Amino acid sequence: MVEHDTHVSENGHDGGMNRRRFLTTAGAGATLASTAGCIGNPLGGGGGVTFGGVYLLSGLAEALGSASEASAQLAVDYVNENGGINGEDAEIIFRDHADSGAASQIQSLVQQENVDALIGLTSSGETLEAAPTIRDLGVPMILTDIGTPYVTEPDTETYGSYFESENGKSAYVEPMFRTNANTSPNTYAMARYAVEELEGIETVANIGPNYAYGTQCWDYFKAYADALGGEFEYVESVFPDLGASNMTPQINQVLNADPDLVFTSFWAGDAVTFVQQASEQGLFEQVDDVFDTLGADPTVFKALGDTMPEGVHYSSWYWHSAFDNEQNSSYLDYYQSAYEGTDTIGVPSFTGASTWSAIRLYKRAIENSGGTEPDGIIGELEGATFNGPRGEWTLDADSHQATAPTVIGETSSDDDVPYEGVGLSPSRTYSLDRSTAADLLGDSGLPPGV
């Protein structure tokens, strides 16, 4: 392992909102807990710390899951090269949740591999299905790639429990945290940009993947845009199947509606397919702008090359050139040095900073709590403030959602990227607090999730 003379700083725990909680389980959960054995050990026994990483590492989202895996492994290597966790080495075991599902992989990692903490996942739907398993096992899980606001919405009284009601929206469970900005702040940023920065936009159409993420993005964008005074007319909304090889029928439906702005929520392979086929149909020449929630990713832009048009506005949870601070510069130097000469793109994906931060947060939480007991780690994470590649942000003590920003920028060949294709330049960041979100969402029924 090559040693790197870089340093990434982080703030100490703020302590103001921290509280240690004991997790309880019942029914099937008690069975899960009982088979898991004794979870958590004090540091100093020489056994080290084991993390479990669960991502989509094959299929449609393989490029994204593999990019998250790269940042997670890098963070573990960095921890070990800089003293470990209280002097003990850390390791990470990765699993592909395309194989047998996220819940099964999480249960196996906890019960068979005895991991101390978890990170992931790559699918909002899989996360919602896995939430009861995470709750019952009680091992902390930091979500690094997940969009749905439902898993960080603690107000079950207002929004109902996803697990208890057909219309319930809150899937919050105690051991889960999230280090990326979710769909709520993401679409708020795009709605605000559309209202405040774009001129002459009167009609908006939507095209997105046909599952919960796609429909939630469109619902949140409309709610925020209306509340911010957009006065847009929504002229069409279509949802190709997830992983569709042919989107041209839906693209033609959008074109026939003659919108000024096209809102999309494609990511990974779907983002590539959409741009390729939309370019063939002349969509980018016929509309004023095209937005995408999570299309701003090096794997997407590299795959598209010169097919990706310049001058449209794409969004992301992280973009390497959007943050001018020492922590981001050090992270990028370390990343580039580690993966130089490999097949991994030399800049992190849009999940890179959230994945890197998750491991760093775990290190501090384990050291501060004196061991890997779940309630100790959870207590240290609640209300924790972190200073990393995206600047300073906090894990909200109640929702467990990071106050991390969203990036929105203009696709451009002026950005310095290590591949043939566009980057984002210029770009800007937006953040969203719970009070603002609740006020803007009003009686839409959509939870703030922050």
Side-chain angles (χ1 to χ4, degrees):
M1 176 64 68
V2 177
E3 293 187 2
H4 306 275
D5 294 324
T6 57
H7 176 68
V8 179
S9 66
E10 59 189 53
N11 286 356
H13 192 286
D14 69 356
M17 293 297 290
N18 177 39
R19 58 191 185 280
R20 297 171 184 255
R21 301 176 179 177
F22 289 90
L23 307 176
T24 59
T25 57
T31 302
L32 277 177
S34 66
T35 59
C38 182
I39 298 175
N41 295 289
L43 292 176
V49 176
T50 303
F51 299 110
V54 187
Y55 294 100
L56 284 175
L57 301 174
S58 59
L60 173 70
E62 178 180 359
L64 176 59
S66 296
S68 297
E69 179 185 27
S71 271
Q73 184 62 64
L74 190 73
V76 171
D77 292 344
Y78 181 88
V79 165
N80 287 336
E81 290 176 13
N82 289 273
I85 300 179
N86 256 17
E88 297 190 14
D89 283 343
E91 66 172 329
I92 187 165
I93 301 169
F94 291 101
R95 294 283 181 85
D96 182 359
H97 67 76
D99 299 330
S100 72
S104 175
Q105 296 292 2
I106 288 167
Q107 187 170 342
S108 174
L109 282 167
V110 173
Q111 296 179 340
Q112 297 175 20
E113 303 291 349
N114 298 314
V115 300
D116 300 300
L118 296 150
I119 64 169
L121 303 155
T122 320
S123 161
S124 291
E126 289 274 1
T127 302
L128 293 170
E129 291 183 10
T133 299
I134 296 167
R135 174 195 62 198
D136 296 340
L137 288 169
V139 174
M141 172 99 194
I142 294 182
L143 305 173
T144 61
D145 295 26
I146 297 304
T148 178
Y150 293 6
V151 295
T152 47
E153 179 48 63
D155 187 356
T156 56
E157 182 176 344
T158 300
Y159 300 103
S161 170
Y162 181 86
F163 310 117
E164 298 174 3
S165 167
E166 183 178 347
N167 298 316
K169 292 183 171 64
S170 172
Y172 173 92
V173 297
E174 187 81 18
M176 281 203 300
F177 295 78
R178 173 162 39 198
T179 50
N180 63 271
N182 67 49
T183 294
S184 180
N186 193 198
T187 54
Y188 161 78
M190 302 181 79
R192 184 174 164 187
Y193 191 95
V195 171
E196 296 180 353
E197 303 297 333
L198 299 184
E199 296 182 0
I201 300 297
E202 297 180 358
T203 56
V204 184
N206 167 71
I207 178 169
N210 188 23
Y211 76 116
Y213 177 72
T215 57
Q216 285 176 17
C217 284
W218 182 227
D219 288 343
Y220 273 93
F221 175 82
K222 289 187 294 182
Y224 280 127
D226 291 348
L228 289 165
E231 299 183 353
F232 300 138
E233 179 186 358
Y234 305 109
V235 294
E236 184 60 276
S237 181
V238 291
F239 295 95
D241 289 339
L242 184 66
S245 61
N246 183 13
M247 297 183 184
T248 53
Q250 292 86 2
I251 292 170
N252 284 329
Q253 283 181 257
V254 168
L255 285 172
N256 288 337
D258 194 25
D260 300 317
L261 172 66
V262 176
F263 176 88
T264 78
S265 49
F266 294 121
W267 54 279
D270 275 350
V272 175
T273 300
F274 167 72
V275 171
Q276 289 173 336
Q277 296 179 5
S279 295
E280 292 172 358
Q281 298 300 108
L283 181 144
F284 292 97
E285 289 76 34
Q286 296 179 51
V287 301
D288 291 345
D289 211 333
V290 177
F291 279 9
D292 192 296
T293 54
L294 294 177
D297 185 76
T299 63
V300 171
F301 289 159
K302 180 182 179 182
L304 287 167
D306 60 10
T307 304
M308 183 69 222
E310 297 189 55
V312 296
H313 289 89
Y314 269 39
S315 181
S316 187
W317 297 327
Y318 171 79
W319 185 258
H320 63 278
S321 62
F323 299 95
D324 183 15
N325 61 62
E326 179 185 352
Q327 291 77 23
N328 189 48
S329 296
S330 297
Y331 169 51
L332 292 174
D333 288 346
Y334 191 71
Y335 193 99
Q336 183 178 22
S337 178
Y339 292 116
E340 188 174 7
T342 73
D343 292 335
T344 300
I345 298 176
V347 290
S349 74
F350 69 84
T351 63
S354 54
T355 307
W356 168 270
S357 301
I359 298 296
R360 305 296 305 283
L361 277 163
Y362 272 140
K363 166 184 164 62
R364 194 176 66 201
I366 292 168
E367 290 180 339
N368 287 350
S369 67
T372 57
E373 189 177 6
D375 68 284
I377 298 175
I378 291 168
E380 289 294 332
L381 291 176
E382 289 179 325
T385 295
F386 184 81
N387 189 15
R390 294 165 295 170
E392 184 173 289
W393 47 266
T394 299
L395 281 174
D396 185 84
D398 295 317
S399 70
H400 294 182
Q401 168 65 44
T403 60
T406 286
V407 178
I408 185 166
E410 185 173 313
T411 57
S412 171
S413 59
D414 292 338
D415 198 13
D416 184 17
V417 293
Y419 53 82
E420 295 296 323
V422 303
L424 290 184
S425 181
S427 62
R428 64 180 69 187
T429 62
Y430 293 87
S431 297
L432 179 66
D433 61 82
R434 184 173 181 83
S435 176
T436 301
D439 287 346
L440 291 172
L441 293 171
D443 59 1
S444 68
L446 297 171
V450 293

